[in-house]
Every structure is written in C-alpha cells, then in structure tokens.
Amino acid sequence: MERLVHALPAVVLFMFVAGMFILVFTVSSRGRRKDRQIGQGYVQLAHDAAERGWTYEARTRGRIDGYSGLRPFPASGLNLTACHYTTGWLRGRAFKYFEYRFMSVTSGTDANRQPQLRSVFIVEAPGPGAFMQILRPNMLDRLFDRRQKLPLGDPAFDKNFRVITDDEAFTQNALRHGLMPYLLTEPLADKTSLQLNDGELFTWYTGPLTPRMTDEKLSYLCDVLDRIPAHAWSSS
C-alpha cells in the first residue's frame, strides 16, 4: 500500500503528460485535415470556374483597391490582395467573388502571423440605386456605429436588421415590395449582411472560400435583386 502511495504522483504525472500528448496530436491532426479540405476546395473553385466559362485568378493585387472604405475592406489601401478572384455571369448578371486577405493586430506574432480571410461576393445590380446597408445587429455596432439607422416601421424587421442609407425613398421602395418579408423568412439572412453601392450588391463572411458557399452566396444575392422592383431603380 505504501509503495502504491509513493507511486501515485508518478502515475498521475504520466497520465497528465500522455493526455497532453494525445490532445496536441488530436488538435494537430484536425488542423491538417481542415487544411487539406480547404486546399481541395480551392482546387475545386478553379475547376468549377473553367467548367462554367468563368475567369479565375489564383492571386491578384490592386484589383479591389476601389472598394476601400466599404465593408469589409479597410478605410484605405493600395495593392490589396485578392485570392481566387473569379468573374463571370450568373442568371443574367455579372458577378465577381474573391478571398480578401489582410493582416491585423490579432493575426499573431511576427513568427507565426496568419492572414485574416474575408470571402466577398459582388453581383451587378439592374441600376445604380443608392448606398444601402442591411446589417444584422451586434454588440460592436451598437457600441461604435453611430450612423443614423432608418426604421422601416415593421417591428420584426427593425428588431432584426439595421438599415443604413443615404436615400430613404429608394430604400423604402426597394424593401417594402417583397424584399423585407423575404429577408425575415430566409435563413441565409440571419447570418448575412448586405450592402448596395454604385450599382453592385455585396455580401461577405469570415473564412475561406468554398465551392458550396460560393454557389449559395451568389444565388442569394440574385434572389435579393429579384425581389427589388424595377421602379425602385428609377426612383434613386
């Protein structure tokens, strides 16, 4: 019994070290598996673009500089990096999508810094429209976004979305004739922000591009545009 008591700390130490080793191995294995899946997704993006007659560039710089100042891009910038930059036509509309990569203060130390990823999708609108953002409420925006929000007069919509615009008449016409009820019932709207600027409709998410999300987001943007009546574009 006395020997068992003396051996117990060593047993506990061994179990702790073994447990840490298993944990590190498991996390590392999952990370490698995730990296492989992401890499396979990138290969599929290039394949899908070629198959559909779209143009694809694995990496480009400066092509997206004109979007500086809009979400989710920086306030200003030159030679911004876009990866898997793809353009084409879908449902009669020109589109582009890409992965925007940047370094932030939370990207890690100099030795192991990893880029932050935003997957961005942009579809051409039928007209120039007006600047309009349809955002999901969150704590950061409540604290720091002091811009005037436009109430639409629908309690459910005003509770679940924040609308920011520089043209109230256009926004009312765009939302009230079918888009508002669609956004209230469409599951994708729960986790997707929208932004209209200079005749282009944007959405984005944090993380790498994947073939599934690419098809989903492009179709969603087209569905949104389908629900904005033609007279809204002429009223802006």
Side-chain angles (χ1 to χ4, degrees):
M1 184 66 180
E2 185 176 349
R3 289 181 180 178
L4 181 61
V5 171
H6 286 298
L8 186 58
V11 172
V12 171
L13 178 61
F14 172 80
M15 293 178 64
F16 174 78
V17 171
M20 291 299 295
F21 176 81
I22 293 171
L23 177 62
V24 169
F25 177 81
T26 301
V27 171
S28 177
S29 178
R30 288 177 179 174
R32 289 193 298 271
R33 185 163 60 249
K34 183 178 179 180
D35 288 343
R36 284 197 301 270
Q37 290 172 345
I38 292 173
Q40 290 167 359
Y42 290 155
V43 172
Q44 188 65 41
L45 287 172
H47 176 269
D48 289 348
E51 191 174 64
R52 296 170 180 178
W54 300 344
T55 62
Y56 171 88
E57 295 178 63
R59 185 183 181 93
T60 183
R61 283 186 176 274
R63 196 76 67 87
I64 62 173
D65 290 358
Y67 295 123
S68 295
L70 299 172
R71 293 193 180 196
F73 306 99
S76 62
L78 291 174
N79 290 322
L80 300 179
T81 300
C83 295
H84 314 292
Y85 185 91
T86 304
T87 62
W89 287 80
L90 180 69
R91 290 164 56 175
R93 297 185 174 98
F95 73 82
K96 66 188 73 168
Y97 63 78
F98 50 87
E99 216 177 66
Y100 163 52
R101 299 189 173 195
F102 64 99
M103 292 295 186
S104 73
V105 294
T106 60
S107 298
T109 63
D110 290 340
N112 62 355
R113 295 185 77 193
Q114 296 294 320
Q116 300 292 305
L117 306 182
R118 300 289 185 272
S119 292
V120 183
F121 307 85
I122 305 173
V123 173
E124 186 178 61
F131 176 78
M132 177 177 66
Q133 289 180 332
I134 304 174
L135 308 173
R136 298 291 295 175
N138 62 61
M139 184 60 68
L140 286 177
D141 282 336
R142 288 193 183 100
L143 291 174
F144 300 111
D145 191 344
R146 301 302 181 185
R147 295 176 297 172
Q148 183 69 36
K149 285 76 173 178
L150 175 67
L152 273 295
D154 182 299
F157 189 86
D158 290 337
K159 177 182 178 182
N160 288 281
F161 296 94
R162 297 181 308 109
V163 178
I164 298 167
T165 183
D166 58 10
D167 188 329
E168 181 175 348
F170 168 79
T171 301
Q172 293 278 4
N173 285 327
L175 285 169
R176 286 194 170 277
H177 299 279
L179 182 53
M180 188 187 302
Y182 171 73
L183 293 176
L184 283 170
T185 56
E186 169 55 51
L188 283 176
D190 287 338
K191 52 188 176 181
T192 304
S193 295
L194 293 168
Q195 179 173 256
L196 180 68
N197 184 76
D198 198 22
E200 294 182 317
L201 185 64
F202 300 65
T203 192
W204 61 91
Y205 65 83
T206 299
L209 277 169
T210 68
R212 182 182 69 83
M213 293 297 287
T214 295
D215 290 340
E216 180 181 278
K217 297 300 184 183
L218 289 177
S219 294
Y220 175 61
L221 289 177
C222 289
D223 289 343
V224 168
L225 290 171
D226 284 344
R227 286 163 174 79
I228 298 178
H231 69 79
W233 304 104
S234 60
S235 67
S236 61

PDB file of all heavy atoms in Angstrom, residues 13-38:
ATOM      1  N   LEU A  13       1.367  12.035 -13.017  1.00  0.00           N
ATOM      2  CA  LEU A  13       2.180  12.827 -13.928  1.00  0.00           C
ATOM      3  C   LEU A  13       2.220  12.179 -15.313  1.00  0.00           C
ATOM      4  O   LEU A  13       2.087  12.867 -16.345  1.00  0.00           O
ATOM      5  CB  LEU A  13       3.592  12.992 -13.387  1.00  0.00           C
ATOM      6  CG  LEU A  13       4.571  13.777 -14.280  1.00  0.00           C
ATOM      7  CD1 LEU A  13       4.064  15.194 -14.503  1.00  0.00           C
ATOM      8  CD2 LEU A  13       5.969  13.782 -13.654  1.00  0.00           C
ATOM      9  N   PHE A  14       2.385  10.862 -15.341  1.00  0.00           N
ATOM     10  CA  PHE A  14       2.421  10.150 -16.615  1.00  0.00           C
ATOM     11  C   PHE A  14       1.101  10.306 -17.366  1.00  0.00           C
ATOM     12  O   PHE A  14       1.082  10.561 -18.579  1.00  0.00           O
ATOM     13  CB  PHE A  14       2.725   8.668 -16.383  1.00  0.00           C
ATOM     14  CG  PHE A  14       2.595   7.835 -17.631  1.00  0.00           C
ATOM     15  CD1 PHE A  14       3.626   7.807 -18.569  1.00  0.00           C
ATOM     16  CD2 PHE A  14       1.444   7.096 -17.872  1.00  0.00           C
ATOM     17  CE1 PHE A  14       3.509   7.052 -19.721  1.00  0.00           C
ATOM     18  CE2 PHE A  14       1.327   6.344 -19.027  1.00  0.00           C
ATOM     19  CZ  PHE A  14       2.362   6.320 -19.958  1.00  0.00           C
ATOM     20  N   MET A  15      -0.011  10.163 -16.625  1.00  0.00           N
ATOM     21  CA  MET A  15      -1.323  10.289 -17.273  1.00  0.00           C
ATOM     22  C   MET A  15      -1.529  11.700 -17.805  1.00  0.00           C
ATOM     23  O   MET A  15      -2.107  11.899 -18.883  1.00  0.00           O
ATOM     24  CB  MET A  15      -2.427   9.925 -16.275  1.00  0.00           C
ATOM     25  CG  MET A  15      -2.426   8.453 -15.866  1.00  0.00           C
ATOM     26  SD  MET A  15      -3.711   8.065 -14.654  1.00  0.00           S
ATOM     27  CE  MET A  15      -5.195   8.401 -15.612  1.00  0.00           C
ATOM     28  N   PHE A  16      -1.045  12.701 -17.046  1.00  0.00           N
ATOM     29  CA  PHE A  16      -1.191  14.087 -17.490  1.00  0.00           C
ATOM     30  C   PHE A  16      -0.397  14.326 -18.777  1.00  0.00           C
ATOM     31  O   PHE A  16      -0.904  14.920 -19.732  1.00  0.00           O
ATOM     32  CB  PHE A  16      -0.716  15.033 -16.392  1.00  0.00           C
ATOM     33  CG  PHE A  16      -0.691  16.480 -16.806  1.00  0.00           C
ATOM     34  CD1 PHE A  16      -1.864  17.224 -16.861  1.00  0.00           C
ATOM     35  CD2 PHE A  16       0.505  17.091 -17.155  1.00  0.00           C
ATOM     36  CE1 PHE A  16      -1.844  18.550 -17.263  1.00  0.00           C
ATOM     37  CE2 PHE A  16       0.534  18.422 -17.558  1.00  0.00           C
ATOM     38  CZ  PHE A  16      -0.647  19.149 -17.605  1.00  0.00           C
ATOM     39  N   VAL A  17       0.859  13.877 -18.794  1.00  0.00           N
ATOM     40  CA  VAL A  17       1.710  14.055 -19.975  1.00  0.00           C
ATOM     41  C   VAL A  17       1.120  13.309 -21.173  1.00  0.00           C
ATOM     42  O   VAL A  17       1.075  13.838 -22.294  1.00  0.00           O
ATOM     43  CB  VAL A  17       3.143  13.581 -19.687  1.00  0.00           C
ATOM     44  CG1 VAL A  17       3.971  13.567 -20.973  1.00  0.00           C
ATOM     45  CG2 VAL A  17       3.796  14.465 -18.639  1.00  0.00           C
ATOM     46  N   ALA A  18       0.644  12.073 -20.923  1.00  0.00           N
ATOM     47  CA  ALA A  18       0.049  11.304 -22.010  1.00  0.00           C
ATOM     48  C   ALA A  18      -1.200  11.993 -22.544  1.00  0.00           C
ATOM     49  O   ALA A  18      -1.440  12.048 -23.758  1.00  0.00           O
ATOM     50  CB  ALA A  18      -0.298   9.894 -21.527  1.00  0.00           C
ATOM     51  N   GLY A  19      -2.014  12.538 -21.619  1.00  0.00           N
ATOM     52  CA  GLY A  19      -3.220  13.245 -22.038  1.00  0.00           C
ATOM     53  C   GLY A  19      -2.903  14.470 -22.871  1.00  0.00           C
ATOM     54  O   GLY A  19      -3.565  14.737 -23.884  1.00  0.00           O
ATOM     55  N   MET A  20      -1.882  15.227 -22.472  1.00  0.00           N
ATOM     56  CA  MET A  20      -1.485  16.415 -23.229  1.00  0.00           C
ATOM     57  C   MET A  20      -0.972  16.021 -24.609  1.00  0.00           C
ATOM     58  O   MET A  20      -1.270  16.700 -25.607  1.00  0.00           O
ATOM     59  CB  MET A  20      -0.416  17.190 -22.462  1.00  0.00           C
ATOM     60  CG  MET A  20      -0.908  17.861 -21.202  1.00  0.00           C
ATOM     61  SD  MET A  20      -2.209  19.079 -21.545  1.00  0.00           S
ATOM     62  CE  MET A  20      -1.290  20.279 -22.515  1.00  0.00           C
ATOM     63  N   PHE A  21      -0.218  14.933 -24.664  1.00  0.00           N
ATOM     64  CA  PHE A  21       0.296  14.467 -25.955  1.00  0.00           C
ATOM     65  C   PHE A  21      -0.862  14.089 -26.887  1.00  0.00           C
ATOM     66  O   PHE A  21      -0.874  14.456 -28.067  1.00  0.00           O
ATOM     67  CB  PHE A  21       1.222  13.264 -25.756  1.00  0.00           C
ATOM     68  CG  PHE A  21       1.725  12.669 -27.040  1.00  0.00           C
ATOM     69  CD1 PHE A  21       2.791  13.241 -27.713  1.00  0.00           C
ATOM     70  CD2 PHE A  21       1.116  11.542 -27.568  1.00  0.00           C
ATOM     71  CE1 PHE A  21       3.245  12.698 -28.907  1.00  0.00           C
ATOM     72  CE2 PHE A  21       1.561  10.991 -28.758  1.00  0.00           C
ATOM     73  CZ  PHE A  21       2.637  11.561 -29.430  1.00  0.00           C
ATOM     74  N   ILE A  22      -1.831  13.360 -26.350  1.00  0.00           N
ATOM     75  CA  ILE A  22      -2.994  12.958 -27.162  1.00  0.00           C
ATOM     76  C   ILE A  22      -3.774  14.183 -27.628  1.00  0.00           C
ATOM     77  O   ILE A  22      -4.221  14.260 -28.775  1.00  0.00           O
ATOM     78  CB  ILE A  22      -3.900  12.007 -26.348  1.00  0.00           C
ATOM     79  CG1 ILE A  22      -3.170  10.682 -26.102  1.00  0.00           C
ATOM     80  CG2 ILE A  22      -5.219  11.764 -27.063  1.00  0.00           C
ATOM     81  CD1 ILE A  22      -3.890   9.758 -25.131  1.00  0.00           C
ATOM     82  N   LEU A  23      -3.925  15.171 -26.735  1.00  0.00           N
ATOM     83  CA  LEU A  23      -4.655  16.388 -27.089  1.00  0.00           C
ATOM     84  C   LEU A  23      -3.957  17.138 -28.212  1.00  0.00           C
ATOM     85  O   LEU A  23      -4.589  17.555 -29.191  1.00  0.00           O
ATOM     86  CB  LEU A  23      -4.793  17.297 -25.864  1.00  0.00           C
ATOM     87  CG  LEU A  23      -5.475  18.657 -26.094  1.00  0.00           C
ATOM     88  CD1 LEU A  23      -6.908  18.459 -26.568  1.00  0.00           C
ATOM     89  CD2 LEU A  23      -5.436  19.494 -24.823  1.00  0.00           C
ATOM     90  N   VAL A  24      -2.628  17.317 -28.077  1.00  0.00           N
ATOM     91  CA  VAL A  24      -1.867  18.024 -29.112  1.00  0.00           C
ATOM     92  C   VAL A  24      -1.944  17.273 -30.438  1.00  0.00           C
ATOM     93  O   VAL A  24      -2.125  17.871 -31.505  1.00  0.00           O
ATOM     94  CB  VAL A  24      -0.400  18.205 -28.672  1.00  0.00           C
ATOM     95  CG1 VAL A  24       0.458  18.701 -29.838  1.00  0.00           C
ATOM     96  CG2 VAL A  24      -0.309  19.172 -27.501  1.00  0.00           C
ATOM     97  N   PHE A  25      -1.814  15.949 -30.390  1.00  0.00           N
ATOM     98  CA  PHE A  25      -1.867  15.143 -31.614  1.00  0.00           C
ATOM     99  C   PHE A  25      -3.235  15.269 -32.272  1.00  0.00           C
ATOM    100  O   PHE A  25      -3.343  15.403 -33.497  1.00  0.00           O
ATOM    101  CB  PHE A  25      -1.571  13.680 -31.285  1.00  0.00           C
ATOM    102  CG  PHE A  25      -1.686  12.774 -32.477  1.00  0.00           C
ATOM    103  CD1 PHE A  25      -0.643  12.665 -33.391  1.00  0.00           C
ATOM    104  CD2 PHE A  25      -2.843  12.036 -32.691  1.00  0.00           C
ATOM    105  CE1 PHE A  25      -0.753  11.837 -34.492  1.00  0.00           C
ATOM    106  CE2 PHE A  25      -2.959  11.209 -33.798  1.00  0.00           C
ATOM    107  CZ  PHE A  25      -1.911  11.108 -34.699  1.00  0.00           C
ATOM    108  N   THR A  26      -4.314  15.225 -31.450  1.00  0.00           N
ATOM    109  CA  THR A  26      -5.671  15.313 -31.988  1.00  0.00           C
ATOM    110  C   THR A  26      -5.919  16.665 -32.641  1.00  0.00           C
ATOM    111  O   THR A  26      -6.448  16.746 -33.752  1.00  0.00           O
ATOM    112  CB  THR A  26      -6.703  15.076 -30.873  1.00  0.00           C
ATOM    113  OG1 THR A  26      -6.487  13.792 -30.293  1.00  0.00           O
ATOM    114  CG2 THR A  26      -8.119  15.150 -31.427  1.00  0.00           C
ATOM    115  N   VAL A  27      -5.530  17.742 -31.939  1.00  0.00           N
ATOM    116  CA  VAL A  27      -5.723  19.089 -32.490  1.00  0.00           C
ATOM    117  C   VAL A  27      -4.915  19.263 -33.774  1.00  0.00           C
ATOM    118  O   VAL A  27      -5.400  19.819 -34.763  1.00  0.00           O
ATOM    119  CB  VAL A  27      -5.334  20.160 -31.450  1.00  0.00           C
ATOM    120  CG1 VAL A  27      -5.306  21.556 -32.083  1.00  0.00           C
ATOM    121  CG2 VAL A  27      -6.295  20.130 -30.272  1.00  0.00           C
ATOM    122  N   SER A  28      -3.672  18.793 -33.758  1.00  0.00           N
ATOM    123  CA  SER A  28      -2.826  18.900 -34.938  1.00  0.00           C
ATOM    124  C   SER A  28      -3.401  18.124 -36.104  1.00  0.00           C
ATOM    125  O   SER A  28      -3.395  18.585 -37.252  1.00  0.00           O
ATOM    126  CB  SER A  28      -1.414  18.413 -34.611  1.00  0.00           C
ATOM    127  OG  SER A  28      -0.589  18.447 -35.740  1.00  0.00           O
ATOM    128  N   SER A  29      -3.921  16.922 -35.818  1.00  0.00           N
ATOM    129  CA  SER A  29      -4.497  16.088 -36.866  1.00  0.00           C
ATOM    130  C   SER A  29      -5.730  16.756 -37.473  1.00  0.00           C
ATOM    131  O   SER A  29      -5.914  16.767 -38.696  1.00  0.00           O
ATOM    132  CB  SER A  29      -4.866  14.721 -36.294  1.00  0.00           C
ATOM    133  OG  SER A  29      -5.477  13.909 -37.270  1.00  0.00           O
ATOM    134  N   ARG A  30      -6.561  17.335 -36.609  1.00  0.00           N
ATOM    135  CA  ARG A  30      -7.745  18.033 -37.107  1.00  0.00           C
ATOM    136  C   ARG A  30      -7.352  19.244 -37.948  1.00  0.00           C
ATOM    137  O   ARG A  30      -7.979  19.537 -38.974  1.00  0.00           O
ATOM    138  CB  ARG A  30      -8.628  18.470 -35.944  1.00  0.00           C
ATOM    139  CG  ARG A  30      -9.351  17.324 -35.254  1.00  0.00           C
ATOM    140  CD  ARG A  30     -10.149  17.826 -34.066  1.00  0.00           C
ATOM    141  NE  ARG A  30     -10.863  16.732 -33.424  1.00  0.00           N
ATOM    142  CZ  ARG A  30     -11.551  16.864 -32.293  1.00  0.00           C
ATOM    143  NH1 ARG A  30     -11.613  18.056 -31.687  1.00  0.00           N
ATOM    144  NH2 ARG A  30     -12.173  15.828 -31.765  1.00  0.00           N
ATOM    145  N   GLY A  31      -6.308  19.961 -37.515  1.00  0.00           N
ATOM    146  CA  GLY A  31      -5.834  21.120 -38.274  1.00  0.00           C
ATOM    147  C   GLY A  31      -5.349  20.725 -39.653  1.00  0.00           C
ATOM    148  O   GLY A  31      -5.651  21.399 -40.642  1.00  0.00           O
ATOM    149  N   ARG A  32      -4.588  19.629 -39.729  1.00  0.00           N
ATOM    150  CA  ARG A  32      -4.092  19.169 -41.032  1.00  0.00           C
ATOM    151  C   ARG A  32      -5.246  18.735 -41.925  1.00  0.00           C
ATOM    152  O   ARG A  32      -5.244  18.991 -43.129  1.00  0.00           O
ATOM    153  CB  ARG A  32      -3.098  18.024 -40.836  1.00  0.00           C
ATOM    154  CG  ARG A  32      -1.757  18.445 -40.228  1.00  0.00           C
ATOM    155  CD  ARG A  32      -0.729  17.331 -40.374  1.00  0.00           C
ATOM    156  NE  ARG A  32      -1.137  16.126 -39.675  1.00  0.00           N
ATOM    157  CZ  ARG A  32      -0.851  15.865 -38.404  1.00  0.00           C
ATOM    158  NH1 ARG A  32      -0.143  16.729 -37.698  1.00  0.00           N
ATOM    159  NH2 ARG A  32      -1.238  14.735 -37.835  1.00  0.00           N
ATOM    160  N   ARG A  33      -6.230  18.054 -41.330  1.00  0.00           N
ATOM    161  CA  ARG A  33      -7.381  17.616 -42.110  1.00  0.00           C
ATOM    162  C   ARG A  33      -8.171  18.817 -42.641  1.00  0.00           C
ATOM    163  O   ARG A  33      -8.600  18.838 -43.800  1.00  0.00           O
ATOM    164  CB  ARG A  33      -8.283  16.726 -41.249  1.00  0.00           C
ATOM    165  CG  ARG A  33      -9.455  16.136 -42.037  1.00  0.00           C
ATOM    166  CD  ARG A  33     -10.085  14.965 -41.300  1.00  0.00           C
ATOM    167  NE  ARG A  33     -10.593  15.353 -40.006  1.00  0.00           N
ATOM    168  CZ  ARG A  33     -10.087  14.967 -38.840  1.00  0.00           C
ATOM    169  NH1 ARG A  33      -9.006  14.181 -38.812  1.00  0.00           N
ATOM    170  NH2 ARG A  33     -10.619  15.351 -37.691  1.00  0.00           N
ATOM    171  N   LYS A  34      -8.327  19.838 -41.799  1.00  0.00           N
ATOM    172  CA  LYS A  34      -9.029  21.050 -42.231  1.00  0.00           C
ATOM    173  C   LYS A  34      -8.270  21.754 -43.343  1.00  0.00           C
ATOM    174  O   LYS A  34      -8.862  22.207 -44.330  1.00  0.00           O
ATOM    175  CB  LYS A  34      -9.223  21.997 -41.045  1.00  0.00           C
ATOM    176  CG  LYS A  34     -10.005  23.249 -41.392  1.00  0.00           C
ATOM    177  CD  LYS A  34     -10.200  24.130 -40.169  1.00  0.00           C
ATOM    178  CE  LYS A  34     -10.976  25.391 -40.529  1.00  0.00           C
ATOM    179  NZ  LYS A  34     -11.179  26.266 -39.350  1.00  0.00           N
ATOM    180  N   ASP A  35      -6.941  21.839 -43.199  1.00  0.00           N
ATOM    181  CA  ASP A  35      -6.122  22.473 -44.239  1.00  0.00           C
ATOM    182  C   ASP A  35      -6.248  21.727 -45.565  1.00  0.00           C
ATOM    183  O   ASP A  35      -6.302  22.352 -46.637  1.00  0.00           O
ATOM    184  CB  ASP A  35      -4.657  22.526 -43.807  1.00  0.00           C
ATOM    185  CG  ASP A  35      -4.408  23.549 -42.708  1.00  0.00           C
ATOM    186  OD1 ASP A  35      -5.273  24.433 -42.502  1.00  0.00           O
ATOM    187  OD2 ASP A  35      -3.349  23.459 -42.041  1.00  0.00           O
ATOM    188  N   ARG A  36      -6.288  20.390 -45.506  1.00  0.00           N
ATOM    189  CA  ARG A  36      -6.451  19.607 -46.738  1.00  0.00           C
ATOM    190  C   ARG A  36      -7.799  19.891 -47.381  1.00  0.00           C
ATOM    191  O   ARG A  36      -7.893  20.033 -48.606  1.00  0.00           O
ATOM    192  CB  ARG A  36      -6.315  18.109 -46.431  1.00  0.00           C
ATOM    193  CG  ARG A  36      -4.883  17.647 -46.210  1.00  0.00           C
ATOM    194  CD  ARG A  36      -4.780  16.128 -46.319  1.00  0.00           C
ATOM    195  NE  ARG A  36      -5.626  15.459 -45.343  1.00  0.00           N
ATOM    196  CZ  ARG A  36      -5.246  15.122 -44.117  1.00  0.00           C
ATOM    197  NH1 ARG A  36      -4.012  15.406 -43.713  1.00  0.00           N
ATOM    198  NH2 ARG A  36      -6.067  14.506 -43.297  1.00  0.00           N
ATOM    199  N   GLN A  37      -8.843  19.973 -46.568  1.00  0.00           N
ATOM    200  CA  GLN A  37     -10.180  20.244 -47.106  1.00  0.00           C
ATOM    201  C   GLN A  37     -10.239  21.614 -47.760  1.00  0.00           C
ATOM    202  O   GLN A  37     -10.834  21.777 -48.832  1.00  0.00           O
ATOM    203  CB  GLN A  37     -11.213  20.138 -45.984  1.00  0.00           C
ATOM    204  CG  GLN A  37     -11.430  18.726 -45.475  1.00  0.00           C
ATOM    205  CD  GLN A  37     -12.323  18.679 -44.242  1.00  0.00           C
ATOM    206  OE1 GLN A  37     -12.580  19.696 -43.587  1.00  0.00           O
ATOM    207  NE2 GLN A  37     -12.806  17.499 -43.907  1.00  0.00           N
ATOM    208  N   ILE A  38      -9.610  22.614 -47.114  1.00  0.00           N
ATOM    209  CA  ILE A  38      -9.592  23.960 -47.690  1.00  0.00           C
ATOM    210  C   ILE A  38      -8.839  23.951 -49.018  1.00  0.00           C
ATOM    211  O   ILE A  38      -9.292  24.532 -50.012  1.00  0.00           O
ATOM    212  CB  ILE A  38      -8.965  24.962 -46.707  1.00  0.00           C
ATOM    213  CG1 ILE A  38      -9.883  25.153 -45.491  1.00  0.00           C
ATOM    214  CG2 ILE A  38      -8.704  26.304 -47.390  1.00  0.00           C
ATOM    215  CD1 ILE A  38      -9.259  25.987 -44.389  1.00  0.00           C
TER     216      ILE A  38
END
